[in-house]
Amino acid sequence: VYFSEISATRVQRFLSELRDLGTSPQTCNHYLRAMKQFARWMVTNRRAIESPLVHLEGENVRVDLRRQRRELTDGEIERLLQTARNGGTCLG
């Protein structure tokens, strides 16, 4: 409810609970980034003296890769373009 209730310990506990539920490190980093941005905004707009989260760092996403990103093969690109050309309207 109040900015003063935000602490590094509470944020770390929240992120730890997310990880226990199976959330990826990348997603946890997105949450942390958003929380740090909010705290930084509070300081920039003189609504707070300092950010309690400035020293927190994200997790190493290379440790737990959920999806391997790669280029599409020529065949996959061909199939994608053909489906886009010939397919019907999807979701309006």
Side-chain angles (χ1 to χ4, degrees), residues 77-89:
I77 291 172
E78 180 76 31
R79 207 167 66 236
L80 175 65
L81 293 174
Q82 185 178 14
T83 301
R85 277 188 215 106
N86 302 331
T89 302

Side-chain angles (χ1 to χ4, degrees), residues 24 26-27 61 64-70:
S24 74
Q26 182 70 49
T27 300
V61 295
D64 184 13
L65 283 177
R66 301 289 170 103
R67 299 180 194 274
Q68 282 286 13
R69 308 285 188 212
R70 62 174 178 81

Side-chain angles (χ1 to χ4, degrees), residues 4-58:
S4 60
E5 294 175 334
I6 297 174
S7 71
T9 303
R10 291 179 95 172
V11 168
Q12 287 175 320
R13 187 178 318 125
F14 169 74
L15 294 173
S16 177
E17 290 170 3
L18 282 181
R19 291 290 287 137
D20 290 345
L21 294 172
T23 305
S24 74
Q26 182 70 49
T27 300
C28 289
N29 287 347
H30 290 309
Y31 277 101
L32 176 59
R33 195 171 307 117
M35 288 183 266
K36 288 179 75 168
Q37 286 172 343
F38 172 71
R40 194 168 38 247
W41 176 85
M42 291 288 288
V43 172
T44 301
N45 286 279
R46 298 189 176 143
R47 296 169 188 264
I49 296 170
E50 64 181 355
S51 168
L53 310 178
V54 72
H55 67 281
L56 293 181
E57 294 183 9

